[in-house]
Amino acid sequence: QATSNGGGVNNIVCPNSKIIINGKSIGGSGRSWKLTVIKGSGSNIGQVIHHLTYDVYGTASKATDYVNALSTYTTDNNLIIVTTSDEPQNNAGSIRTALRDTYGAKDSIYNYFRYAYVFAFRHGFGTLGEQNSIYWSALNTRAGGGSNNIRTVACINFTVCL
């Protein structure tokens, strides 16, 4: 299970983004984008081999670091889990593009203040789930939920047999 919150620690619905594996939480996101990778084959199969937050809101170069980290784990049936927390909007264009172009993440390109986003992908198998807190308005356009998405949550549940 992977859960993302849009309002960070002020989110009254889900105060922390989190990833749960076999019923155990391995921790959530700091501000901005989190990348978690689980080894999909070979030695150390099933182990978390990358679990790091990239605060692209505070430091633009962290977006490049994130994209570079994504490209490091493109083999071996690895499981990639992306979560956001608090502020994923600023300086994140290259992350959203990489997720869309490399992994087929359809909703990664939408960009709203403090929206919640979660995505899971397994190499060799494809997308396991994608969800965000962006909704369709009555005018049939995407809307971000206002200037402070304090209650936004996105969550996906999936099962992977290694």
Side-chain angles (χ1 to χ4, degrees), residues 60-113:
S61 64
K62 294 294 182 184
T64 301
D65 295 345
Y66 192 101
V67 171
N68 289 339
L70 267 175
S71 67
T72 302
Y73 301 106
T74 58
T75 59
D76 300 327
N77 296 323
N78 289 325
L79 173 62
I80 303 228
I81 303 170
V82 174
T83 56
T84 62
S85 182
D86 191 23
E87 184 41 79
Q89 177 185 24
N90 199 37
N91 300 317
S94 60
I95 295 172
R96 290 189 299 274
T97 299
L99 288 169
R100 180 196 65 205
D101 294 351
T102 305
Y103 299 101
K106 297 175 184 172
D107 287 337
S108 66
I109 60 169
Y110 298 104
N111 181 25
Y112 294 98
F113 181 70

mmCIF file of all heavy atoms in Angstrom, residues 60-113:
data_model
loop_
_atom_site.group_PDB
_atom_site.id
_atom_site.type_symbol
_atom_site.label_atom_id
_atom_site.label_comp_id
_atom_site.label_asym_id
_atom_site.label_seq_id
_atom_site.Cartn_x
_atom_site.Cartn_y
_atom_site.Cartn_z
ATOM 1 N N ALA A 60 16.033 23.140 -6.591
ATOM 2 C CA ALA A 60 15.689 22.725 -7.954
ATOM 3 C C ALA A 60 16.555 21.577 -8.451
ATOM 4 O O ALA A 60 16.079 20.708 -9.183
ATOM 5 C CB ALA A 60 15.798 23.919 -8.900
ATOM 6 N N SER A 61 17.826 21.514 -8.066
ATOM 7 C CA SER A 61 18.720 20.458 -8.547
ATOM 8 C C SER A 61 18.302 19.072 -8.055
ATOM 9 O O SER A 61 18.712 18.058 -8.633
ATOM 10 C CB SER A 61 20.161 20.744 -8.120
ATOM 11 O OG SER A 61 20.272 20.709 -6.711
ATOM 12 N N LYS A 62 17.478 18.996 -7.029
ATOM 13 C CA LYS A 62 17.000 17.708 -6.521
ATOM 14 C C LYS A 62 16.112 17.001 -7.552
ATOM 15 O O LYS A 62 16.011 15.774 -7.535
ATOM 16 C CB LYS A 62 16.245 17.869 -5.206
ATOM 17 C CG LYS A 62 17.111 18.340 -4.062
ATOM 18 C CD LYS A 62 18.129 17.298 -3.698
ATOM 19 C CE LYS A 62 18.969 17.744 -2.527
ATOM 20 N NZ LYS A 62 20.028 16.788 -2.203
ATOM 21 N N ALA A 63 15.492 17.752 -8.450
ATOM 22 C CA ALA A 63 14.691 17.133 -9.513
ATOM 23 C C ALA A 63 15.591 16.333 -10.449
ATOM 24 O O ALA A 63 15.245 15.219 -10.851
ATOM 25 C CB ALA A 63 13.903 18.190 -10.288
ATOM 26 N N THR A 64 16.743 16.869 -10.782
ATOM 27 C CA THR A 64 17.708 16.139 -11.607
ATOM 28 C C THR A 64 18.189 14.896 -10.872
ATOM 29 O O THR A 64 18.302 13.815 -11.461
ATOM 30 C CB THR A 64 18.904 17.044 -11.960
ATOM 31 O OG1 THR A 64 18.418 18.183 -12.669
ATOM 32 C CG2 THR A 64 19.934 16.312 -12.802
ATOM 33 N N ASP A 65 18.463 15.028 -9.575
ATOM 34 C CA ASP A 65 18.881 13.874 -8.773
ATOM 35 C C ASP A 65 17.813 12.788 -8.787
ATOM 36 O O ASP A 65 18.119 11.599 -8.882
ATOM 37 C CB ASP A 65 19.161 14.292 -7.328
ATOM 38 C CG ASP A 65 20.336 15.249 -7.203
ATOM 39 O OD1 ASP A 65 21.122 15.381 -8.165
ATOM 40 O OD2 ASP A 65 20.442 15.888 -6.137
ATOM 41 N N TYR A 66 16.546 13.191 -8.705
ATOM 42 C CA TYR A 66 15.435 12.237 -8.707
ATOM 43 C C TYR A 66 15.363 11.490 -10.034
ATOM 44 O O TYR A 66 15.248 10.262 -10.065
ATOM 45 C CB TYR A 66 14.126 12.987 -8.434
ATOM 46 C CG TYR A 66 12.946 12.097 -8.136
ATOM 47 C CD1 TYR A 66 12.528 11.897 -6.834
ATOM 48 C CD2 TYR A 66 12.223 11.483 -9.151
ATOM 49 C CE1 TYR A 66 11.441 11.097 -6.532
ATOM 50 C CE2 TYR A 66 11.134 10.676 -8.865
ATOM 51 C CZ TYR A 66 10.750 10.493 -7.551
ATOM 52 O OH TYR A 66 9.676 9.686 -7.272
ATOM 53 N N VAL A 67 15.410 12.228 -11.131
ATOM 54 C CA VAL A 67 15.338 11.619 -12.459
ATOM 55 C C VAL A 67 16.522 10.669 -12.666
ATOM 56 O O VAL A 67 16.368 9.567 -13.207
ATOM 57 C CB VAL A 67 15.274 12.694 -13.559
ATOM 58 C CG1 VAL A 67 15.419 12.087 -14.950
ATOM 59 C CG2 VAL A 67 13.968 13.472 -13.451
ATOM 60 N N ASN A 68 17.710 11.069 -12.216
ATOM 61 C CA ASN A 68 18.881 10.194 -12.328
ATOM 62 C C ASN A 68 18.695 8.922 -11.509
ATOM 63 O O ASN A 68 19.062 7.824 -11.947
ATOM 64 C CB ASN A 68 20.151 10.925 -11.894
ATOM 65 C CG ASN A 68 20.566 11.986 -12.883
ATOM 66 O OD1 ASN A 68 20.180 11.949 -14.054
ATOM 67 N ND2 ASN A 68 21.348 12.946 -12.427
ATOM 68 N N ALA A 69 18.125 9.048 -10.321
ATOM 69 C CA ALA A 69 17.869 7.874 -9.481
ATOM 70 C C ALA A 69 16.855 6.951 -10.152
ATOM 71 O O ALA A 69 17.027 5.729 -10.152
ATOM 72 C CB ALA A 69 17.381 8.296 -8.099
ATOM 73 N N LEU A 70 15.808 7.529 -10.740
ATOM 74 C CA LEU A 70 14.819 6.725 -11.468
ATOM 75 C C LEU A 70 15.489 5.877 -12.547
ATOM 76 O O LEU A 70 15.189 4.696 -12.699
ATOM 77 C CB LEU A 70 13.783 7.622 -12.142
ATOM 78 C CG LEU A 70 12.504 7.947 -11.427
ATOM 79 C CD1 LEU A 70 11.687 8.939 -12.241
ATOM 80 C CD2 LEU A 70 11.688 6.718 -11.119
ATOM 81 N N SER A 71 16.406 6.474 -13.289
ATOM 82 C CA SER A 71 17.047 5.768 -14.405
ATOM 83 C C SER A 71 18.007 4.683 -13.921
ATOM 84 O O SER A 71 18.349 3.778 -14.674
ATOM 85 C CB SER A 71 17.771 6.757 -15.317
ATOM 86 O OG SER A 71 18.870 7.334 -14.641
ATOM 87 N N THR A 72 18.416 4.743 -12.666
ATOM 88 C CA THR A 72 19.329 3.747 -12.107
ATOM 89 C C THR A 72 18.656 2.392 -11.920
ATOM 90 O O THR A 72 19.304 1.353 -11.966
ATOM 91 C CB THR A 72 19.870 4.246 -10.743
ATOM 92 O OG1 THR A 72 20.521 5.493 -10.949
ATOM 93 C CG2 THR A 72 20.827 3.263 -10.118
ATOM 94 N N TYR A 73 17.342 2.385 -11.708
ATOM 95 C CA TYR A 73 16.632 1.168 -11.327
ATOM 96 C C TYR A 73 15.695 0.657 -12.416
ATOM 97 O O TYR A 73 14.629 0.143 -12.132
ATOM 98 C CB TYR A 73 15.845 1.427 -10.040
ATOM 99 C CG TYR A 73 16.734 1.844 -8.904
ATOM 100 C CD1 TYR A 73 16.777 3.162 -8.468
ATOM 101 C CD2 TYR A 73 17.554 0.916 -8.277
ATOM 102 C CE1 TYR A 73 17.612 3.538 -7.433
ATOM 103 C CE2 TYR A 73 18.389 1.281 -7.239
ATOM 104 C CZ TYR A 73 18.415 2.594 -6.826
ATOM 105 O OH TYR A 73 19.248 2.964 -5.801
ATOM 106 N N THR A 74 16.104 0.753 -13.671
ATOM 107 C CA THR A 74 15.204 0.397 -14.785
ATOM 108 C C THR A 74 15.300 -1.062 -15.209
ATOM 109 O O THR A 74 14.784 -1.424 -16.253
ATOM 110 C CB THR A 74 15.487 1.278 -16.011
ATOM 111 O OG1 THR A 74 16.859 1.104 -16.383
ATOM 112 C CG2 THR A 74 15.191 2.734 -15.726
ATOM 113 N N THR A 75 15.954 -1.914 -14.422
ATOM 114 C CA THR A 75 16.100 -3.323 -14.801
ATOM 115 C C THR A 75 15.735 -4.232 -13.632
ATOM 116 O O THR A 75 15.318 -3.777 -12.567
ATOM 117 C CB THR A 75 17.552 -3.610 -15.226
ATOM 118 O OG1 THR A 75 18.420 -3.297 -14.131
ATOM 119 C CG2 THR A 75 17.942 -2.788 -16.437
ATOM 120 N N ASP A 76 15.903 -5.515 -13.835
ATOM 121 C CA ASP A 76 15.795 -6.526 -12.779
ATOM 122 C C ASP A 76 14.417 -6.631 -12.142
ATOM 123 O O ASP A 76 14.308 -7.030 -10.985
ATOM 124 C CB ASP A 76 16.832 -6.274 -11.674
ATOM 125 C CG ASP A 76 18.263 -6.318 -12.194
ATOM 126 O OD1 ASP A 76 18.510 -7.106 -13.125
ATOM 127 O OD2 ASP A 76 19.101 -5.575 -11.679
ATOM 128 N N ASN A 77 13.372 -6.300 -12.876
ATOM 129 C CA ASN A 77 12.008 -6.402 -12.351
ATOM 130 C C ASN A 77 11.804 -5.593 -11.071
ATOM 131 O O ASN A 77 10.978 -5.940 -10.232
ATOM 132 C CB ASN A 77 11.610 -7.861 -12.114
ATOM 133 C CG ASN A 77 11.566 -8.653 -13.387
ATOM 134 O OD1 ASN A 77 11.174 -8.145 -14.425
ATOM 135 N ND2 ASN A 77 11.985 -9.904 -13.331
ATOM 136 N N ASN A 78 12.583 -4.532 -10.900
ATOM 137 C CA ASN A 78 12.458 -3.704 -9.702
ATOM 138 C C ASN A 78 11.081 -3.054 -9.622
ATOM 139 O O ASN A 78 10.465 -2.742 -10.635
ATOM 140 C CB ASN A 78 13.533 -2.614 -9.677
ATOM 141 C CG ASN A 78 14.909 -3.178 -9.420
ATOM 142 O OD1 ASN A 78 15.053 -4.138 -8.666
ATOM 143 N ND2 ASN A 78 15.907 -2.588 -10.031
ATOM 144 N N LEU A 79 10.630 -2.874 -8.404
ATOM 145 C CA LEU A 79 9.357 -2.224 -8.123
ATOM 146 C C LEU A 79 9.642 -0.784 -7.711
ATOM 147 O O LEU A 79 10.381 -0.537 -6.763
ATOM 148 C CB LEU A 79 8.633 -2.962 -6.997
ATOM 149 C CG LEU A 79 7.353 -2.342 -6.457
ATOM 150 C CD1 LEU A 79 6.295 -2.255 -7.538
ATOM 151 C CD2 LEU A 79 6.842 -3.152 -5.281
ATOM 152 N N ILE A 80 9.078 0.167 -8.453
ATOM 153 C CA ILE A 80 9.269 1.589 -8.196
ATOM 154 C C ILE A 80 7.994 2.141 -7.581
ATOM 155 O O ILE A 80 6.908 1.951 -8.133
ATOM 156 C CB ILE A 80 9.569 2.321 -9.515
ATOM 157 C CG1 ILE A 80 10.763 1.694 -10.140
ATOM 158 C CG2 ILE A 80 9.614 3.820 -9.331
ATOM 159 C CD1 ILE A 80 11.850 2.491 -10.634
ATOM 160 N N ILE A 81 8.126 2.837 -6.455
ATOM 161 C CA ILE A 81 6.978 3.473 -5.802
ATOM 162 C C ILE A 81 7.289 4.961 -5.646
ATOM 163 O O ILE A 81 8.316 5.336 -5.083
ATOM 164 C CB ILE A 81 6.684 2.850 -4.428
ATOM 165 C CG1 ILE A 81 6.447 1.345 -4.570
ATOM 166 C CG2 ILE A 81 5.482 3.534 -3.784
ATOM 167 C CD1 ILE A 81 6.398 0.609 -3.251
ATOM 168 N N VAL A 82 6.391 5.792 -6.152
ATOM 169 C CA VAL A 82 6.537 7.246 -6.097
ATOM 170 C C VAL A 82 5.431 7.800 -5.206
ATOM 171 O O VAL A 82 4.259 7.473 -5.404
ATOM 172 C CB VAL A 82 6.413 7.849 -7.513
ATOM 173 C CG1 VAL A 82 6.409 9.368 -7.461
ATOM 174 C CG2 VAL A 82 7.510 7.327 -8.424
ATOM 175 N N THR A 83 5.795 8.616 -4.235
ATOM 176 C CA THR A 83 4.801 9.311 -3.418
ATOM 177 C C THR A 83 5.210 10.776 -3.290
ATOM 178 O O THR A 83 6.370 11.126 -3.459
ATOM 179 C CB THR A 83 4.661 8.711 -2.000
ATOM 180 O OG1 THR A 83 5.940 8.712 -1.354
ATOM 181 C CG2 THR A 83 4.115 7.299 -2.052
ATOM 182 N N THR A 84 4.224 11.610 -3.006
ATOM 183 C CA THR A 84 4.505 13.023 -2.763
ATOM 184 C C THR A 84 3.936 13.418 -1.405
ATOM 185 O O THR A 84 3.081 12.739 -0.853
ATOM 186 C CB THR A 84 3.867 13.929 -3.836
ATOM 187 O OG1 THR A 84 2.449 13.777 -3.791
ATOM 188 C CG2 THR A 84 4.386 13.597 -5.225
ATOM 189 N N SER A 85 4.428 14.535 -0.910
ATOM 190 C CA SER A 85 3.896 15.079 0.325
ATOM 191 C C SER A 85 4.125 16.583 0.338
ATOM 192 O O SER A 85 5.194 17.050 -0.055
ATOM 193 C CB SER A 85 4.588 14.451 1.536
ATOM 194 O OG SER A 85 4.037 14.938 2.730
ATOM 195 N N ASP A 86 3.127 17.296 0.781
ATOM 196 C CA ASP A 86 3.169 18.737 1.005
ATOM 197 C C ASP A 86 3.329 19.548 -0.273
ATOM 198 O O ASP A 86 2.388 20.174 -0.686
ATOM 199 C CB ASP A 86 4.239 19.099 2.029
ATOM 200 C CG ASP A 86 4.128 20.547 2.485
ATOM 201 O OD1 ASP A 86 3.032 21.125 2.377
ATOM 202 O OD2 ASP A 86 5.130 21.101 2.945
ATOM 203 N N GLU A 87 4.467 19.555 -0.924
ATOM 204 C CA GLU A 87 4.642 20.470 -2.049
ATOM 205 C C GLU A 87 5.419 19.830 -3.202
ATOM 206 O O GLU A 87 6.625 19.979 -3.305
ATOM 207 C CB GLU A 87 5.352 21.738 -1.578
ATOM 208 C CG GLU A 87 5.489 22.785 -2.642
ATOM 209 C CD GLU A 87 4.256 22.929 -3.494
ATOM 210 O OE1 GLU A 87 3.303 23.565 -3.065
ATOM 211 O OE2 GLU A 87 4.235 22.419 -4.621
ATOM 212 N N PRO A 88 4.713 19.100 -4.078
ATOM 213 C CA PRO A 88 5.387 18.485 -5.220
ATOM 214 C C PRO A 88 5.358 19.328 -6.495
ATOM 215 O O PRO A 88 5.809 18.886 -7.542
ATOM 216 C CB PRO A 88 4.581 17.209 -5.429
ATOM 217 C CG PRO A 88 3.199 17.606 -5.034
ATOM 218 C CD PRO A 88 3.362 18.584 -3.894
ATOM 219 N N GLN A 89 4.816 20.524 -6.420
ATOM 220 C CA GLN A 89 4.568 21.310 -7.636
ATOM 221 C C GLN A 89 5.829 21.978 -8.183
ATOM 222 O O GLN A 89 6.161 21.838 -9.350
ATOM 223 C CB GLN A 89 3.512 22.376 -7.333
ATOM 224 C CG GLN A 89 3.221 23.289 -8.501
ATOM 225 C CD GLN A 89 2.267 24.404 -8.125
ATOM 226 O OE1 GLN A 89 2.152 24.770 -6.966
ATOM 227 N NE2 GLN A 89 1.582 24.943 -9.097
ATOM 228 N N ASN A 90 6.510 22.716 -7.362
ATOM 229 C CA ASN A 90 7.602 23.580 -7.800
ATOM 230 C C ASN A 90 8.816 22.775 -8.284
ATOM 231 O O ASN A 90 9.227 21.822 -7.641
ATOM 232 C CB ASN A 90 8.009 24.486 -6.635
ATOM 233 C CG ASN A 90 8.775 25.690 -7.083
ATOM 234 O OD1 ASN A 90 8.496 26.263 -8.124
ATOM 235 N ND2 ASN A 90 9.758 26.078 -6.293
ATOM 236 N N ASN A 91 9.399 23.147 -9.409
ATOM 237 C CA ASN A 91 10.637 22.592 -9.958
ATOM 238 C C ASN A 91 10.553 21.117 -10.347
ATOM 239 O O ASN A 91 11.586 20.476 -10.513
ATOM 240 C CB ASN A 91 11.805 22.763 -8.960
ATOM 241 C CG ASN A 91 12.085 24.199 -8.631
ATOM 242 O OD1 ASN A 91 12.092 25.053 -9.513
ATOM 243 N ND2 ASN A 91 12.294 24.481 -7.365
ATOM 244 N N ALA A 92 9.381 20.553 -10.502
ATOM 245 C CA ALA A 92 9.256 19.106 -10.696
ATOM 246 C C ALA A 92 8.912 18.703 -12.127
ATOM 247 O O ALA A 92 8.570 17.551 -12.370
ATOM 248 C CB ALA A 92 8.222 18.543 -9.732
ATOM 249 N N GLY A 93 9.006 19.604 -13.081
ATOM 250 C CA GLY A 93 8.640 19.280 -14.456
ATOM 251 C C GLY A 93 9.398 18.087 -15.020
ATOM 252 O O GLY A 93 8.821 17.228 -15.686
ATOM 253 N N SER A 94 10.693 17.998 -14.755
ATOM 254 C CA SER A 94 11.482 16.886 -15.300
ATOM 255 C C SER A 94 11.083 15.555 -14.674
ATOM 256 O O SER A 94 11.128 14.516 -15.337
ATOM 257 C CB SER A 94 12.978 17.140 -15.103
ATOM 258 O OG SER A 94 13.287 17.264 -13.723
ATOM 259 N N ILE A 95 10.668 15.561 -13.413
ATOM 260 C CA ILE A 95 10.200 14.331 -12.772
ATOM 261 C C ILE A 95 8.907 13.870 -13.417
ATOM 262 O O ILE A 95 8.756 12.700 -13.779
ATOM 263 C CB ILE A 95 9.990 14.544 -11.255
ATOM 264 C CG1 ILE A 95 11.321 14.835 -10.568
ATOM 265 C CG2 ILE A 95 9.302 13.337 -10.632
ATOM 266 C CD1 ILE A 95 11.182 15.254 -9.123
ATOM 267 N N ARG A 96 7.968 14.800 -13.567
ATOM 268 C CA ARG A 96 6.681 14.440 -14.164
ATOM 269 C C ARG A 96 6.857 13.917 -15.592
ATOM 270 O O ARG A 96 6.232 12.946 -15.998
ATOM 271 C CB ARG A 96 5.742 15.640 -14.119
ATOM 272 C CG ARG A 96 5.280 15.989 -12.716
ATOM 273 C CD ARG A 96 4.195 17.046 -12.719
ATOM 274 N NE ARG A 96 4.621 18.308 -13.302
ATOM 275 C CZ ARG A 96 5.243 19.275 -12.647
ATOM 276 N NH1 ARG A 96 5.510 19.131 -11.373
ATOM 277 N NH2 ARG A 96 5.579 20.386 -13.254
ATOM 278 N N THR A 97 7.745 14.548 -16.350
ATOM 279 C CA THR A 97 8.004 14.117 -17.728
ATOM 280 C C THR A 97 8.647 12.730 -17.757
ATOM 281 O O THR A 97 8.260 11.879 -18.556
ATOM 282 C CB THR A 97 8.896 15.144 -18.453
ATOM 283 O OG1 THR A 97 8.200 16.397 -18.479
ATOM 284 C CG2 THR A 97 9.218 14.710 -19.870
ATOM 285 N N ALA A 98 9.621 12.485 -16.893
ATOM 286 C CA ALA A 98 10.281 11.174 -16.845
ATOM 287 C C ALA A 98 9.292 10.077 -16.475
ATOM 288 O O ALA A 98 9.303 8.992 -17.065
ATOM 289 C CB ALA A 98 11.440 11.202 -15.859
ATOM 290 N N LEU A 99 8.425 10.344 -15.506
ATOM 291 C CA LEU A 99 7.428 9.353 -15.116
ATOM 292 C C LEU A 99 6.466 9.054 -16.266
ATOM 293 O O LEU A 99 6.116 7.900 -16.513
ATOM 294 C CB LEU A 99 6.656 9.824 -13.884
ATOM 295 C CG LEU A 99 7.433 9.797 -12.575
ATOM 296 C CD1 LEU A 99 6.655 10.527 -11.478
ATOM 297 C CD2 LEU A 99 7.747 8.376 -12.153
ATOM 298 N N ARG A 100 6.062 10.096 -16.975
ATOM 299 C CA ARG A 100 5.149 9.908 -18.106
ATOM 300 C C ARG A 100 5.840 9.190 -19.262
ATOM 301 O O ARG A 100 5.327 8.199 -19.782
ATOM 302 C CB ARG A 100 4.621 11.252 -18.580
ATOM 303 C CG ARG A 100 3.648 11.147 -19.755
ATOM 304 C CD ARG A 100 3.428 12.467 -20.446
ATOM 305 N NE ARG A 100 4.691 12.898 -21.055
ATOM 306 C CZ ARG A 100 4.997 14.160 -21.304
ATOM 307 N NH1 ARG A 100 4.169 15.128 -21.012
ATOM 308 N NH2 ARG A 100 6.150 14.467 -21.843
ATOM 309 N N ASP A 101 6.999 9.669 -19.673
ATOM 310 C CA ASP A 101 7.657 9.155 -20.875
ATOM 311 C C ASP A 101 8.313 7.795 -20.679
ATOM 312 O O ASP A 101 8.338 6.978 -21.592
ATOM 313 C CB ASP A 101 8.693 10.154 -21.385
ATOM 314 C CG ASP A 101 8.064 11.453 -21.873
ATOM 315 O OD1 ASP A 101 6.814 11.523 -21.981
ATOM 316 O OD2 ASP A 101 8.826 12.407 -22.138
ATOM 317 N N THR A 102 8.849 7.538 -19.501
ATOM 318 C CA THR A 102 9.563 6.289 -19.253
ATOM 319 C C THR A 102 8.665 5.200 -18.686
ATOM 320 O O THR A 102 8.803 4.035 -19.023
ATOM 321 C CB THR A 102 10.749 6.528 -18.291
ATOM 322 O OG1 THR A 102 11.571 7.557 -18.833
ATOM 323 C CG2 THR A 102 11.581 5.266 -18.108
ATOM 324 N N TYR A 103 7.720 5.600 -17.837
ATOM 325 C CA TYR A 103 6.924 4.611 -17.115
ATOM 326 C C TYR A 103 5.441 4.635 -17.462
ATOM 327 O O TYR A 103 4.675 3.837 -16.937
ATOM 328 C CB TYR A 103 7.099 4.812 -15.604
ATOM 329 C CG TYR A 103 8.535 4.627 -15.188
ATOM 330 C CD1 TYR A 103 9.353 5.717 -14.958
ATOM 331 C CD2 TYR A 103 9.078 3.360 -15.069
ATOM 332 C CE1 TYR A 103 10.676 5.550 -14.599
ATOM 333 C CE2 TYR A 103 10.401 3.180 -14.712
ATOM 334 C CZ TYR A 103 11.201 4.286 -14.479
ATOM 335 O OH TYR A 103 12.504 4.111 -14.139
ATOM 336 N N GLY A 104 5.020 5.554 -18.311
ATOM 337 C CA GLY A 104 3.622 5.611 -18.712
ATOM 338 C C GLY A 104 2.686 6.164 -17.659
ATOM 339 O O GLY A 104 1.491 5.907 -17.683
ATOM 340 N N ALA A 105 3.215 6.941 -16.724
ATOM 341 C CA ALA A 105 2.401 7.527 -15.658
ATOM 342 C C ALA A 105 1.559 8.650 -16.252
ATOM 343 O O ALA A 105 2.051 9.730 -16.549
ATOM 344 C CB ALA A 105 3.289 8.056 -14.540
ATOM 345 N N LYS A 106 0.285 8.388 -16.431
ATOM 346 C CA LYS A 106 -0.593 9.333 -17.118
ATOM 347 C C LYS A 106 -0.889 10.589 -16.313
ATOM 348 O O LYS A 106 -1.049 11.661 -16.858
ATOM 349 C CB LYS A 106 -1.900 8.634 -17.483
ATOM 350 C CG LYS A 106 -1.709 7.499 -18.456
ATOM 351 C CD LYS A 106 -2.992 6.759 -18.690
ATOM 352 C CE LYS A 106 -2.752 5.570 -19.598
ATOM 353 N NZ LYS A 106 -3.913 4.714 -19.705
ATOM 354 N N ASP A 107 -1.010 10.458 -15.008
ATOM 355 C CA ASP A 107 -1.401 11.597 -14.183
ATOM 356 C C ASP A 107 -0.231 12.381 -13.608
ATOM 357 O O ASP A 107 -0.424 13.372 -12.920
ATOM 358 C CB ASP A 107 -2.303 11.138 -13.028
ATOM 359 C CG ASP A 107 -3.696 10.771 -13.518
ATOM 360 O OD1 ASP A 107 -4.089 11.257 -14.587
ATOM 361 O OD2 ASP A 107 -4.380 10.011 -12.817
ATOM 362 N N SER A 108 0.986 11.949 -13.888
ATOM 363 C CA SER A 108 2.145 12.641 -13.322
ATOM 364 C C SER A 108 2.321 14.044 -13.887
ATOM 365 O O SER A 108 2.956 14.887 -13.262
ATOM 366 C CB SER A 108 3.419 11.840 -13.573
ATOM 367 O OG SER A 108 3.707 11.788 -14.957
ATOM 368 N N ILE A 109 1.765 14.311 -15.054
ATOM 369 C CA ILE A 109 1.990 15.600 -15.703
ATOM 370 C C ILE A 109 1.160 16.728 -15.108
ATOM 371 O O ILE A 109 1.444 17.889 -15.329
ATOM 372 C CB ILE A 109 1.733 15.519 -17.217
ATOM 373 C CG1 ILE A 109 0.300 15.103 -17.501
ATOM 374 C CG2 ILE A 109 2.714 14.586 -17.871
ATOM 375 C CD1 ILE A 109 -0.096 15.253 -18.964
ATOM 376 N N TYR A 110 0.124 16.388 -14.345
ATOM 377 C CA TYR A 110 -0.726 17.433 -13.774
ATOM 378 C C TYR A 110 -0.036 18.067 -12.585
ATOM 379 O O TYR A 110 0.605 17.398 -11.786
ATOM 380 C CB TYR A 110 -2.101 16.873 -13.419
ATOM 381 C CG TYR A 110 -2.801 16.370 -14.647
ATOM 382 C CD1 TYR A 110 -2.896 15.018 -14.908
ATOM 383 C CD2 TYR A 110 -3.302 17.270 -15.587
ATOM 384 C CE1 TYR A 110 -3.497 14.559 -16.068
ATOM 385 C CE2 TYR A 110 -3.897 16.819 -16.747
ATOM 386 C CZ TYR A 110 -3.993 15.462 -16.980
ATOM 387 O OH TYR A 110 -4.577 15.022 -18.128
ATOM 388 N N ASN A 111 -0.190 19.362 -12.467
ATOM 389 C CA ASN A 111 0.633 20.133 -11.563
ATOM 390 C C ASN A 111 -0.232 21.093 -10.762
ATOM 391 O O ASN A 111 -0.711 22.078 -11.292
ATOM 392 C CB ASN A 111 1.648 20.893 -12.429
ATOM 393 C CG ASN A 111 2.598 21.717 -11.625
ATOM 394 O OD1 ASN A 111 2.858 21.433 -10.458
ATOM 395 N ND2 ASN A 111 3.133 22.747 -12.239
ATOM 396 N N TYR A 112 -0.457 20.766 -9.511
ATOM 397 C CA TYR A 112 -1.259 21.634 -8.661
ATOM 398 C C TYR A 112 -0.606 21.767 -7.294
ATOM 399 O O TYR A 112 0.066 20.857 -6.826
ATOM 400 C CB TYR A 112 -2.685 21.084 -8.497
ATOM 401 C CG TYR A 112 -3.459 21.088 -9.779
ATOM 402 C CD1 TYR A 112 -3.572 19.945 -10.548
ATOM 403 C CD2 TYR A 112 -4.058 22.248 -10.236
ATOM 404 C CE1 TYR A 112 -4.267 19.951 -11.734
ATOM 405 C CE2 TYR A 112 -4.764 22.259 -11.418
ATOM 406 C CZ TYR A 112 -4.863 21.116 -12.166
ATOM 407 O OH TYR A 112 -5.555 21.136 -13.345
ATOM 408 N N PHE A 113 -0.866 22.878 -6.653
ATOM 409 C CA PHE A 113 -0.297 23.164 -5.340
ATOM 410 C C PHE A 113 -0.766 22.145 -4.317
ATOM 411 O O PHE A 113 -1.963 21.948 -4.121
ATOM 412 C CB PHE A 113 -0.714 24.584 -4.925
ATOM 413 C CG PHE A 113 -0.173 25.018 -3.607
ATOM 414 C CD1 PHE A 113 1.174 25.283 -3.457
ATOM 415 C CD2 PHE A 113 -1.009 25.173 -2.524
ATOM 416 C CE1 PHE A 113 1.671 25.696 -2.249
ATOM 417 C CE2 PHE A 113 -0.521 25.590 -1.306
ATOM 418 C CZ PHE A 113 0.825 25.856 -1.167
#
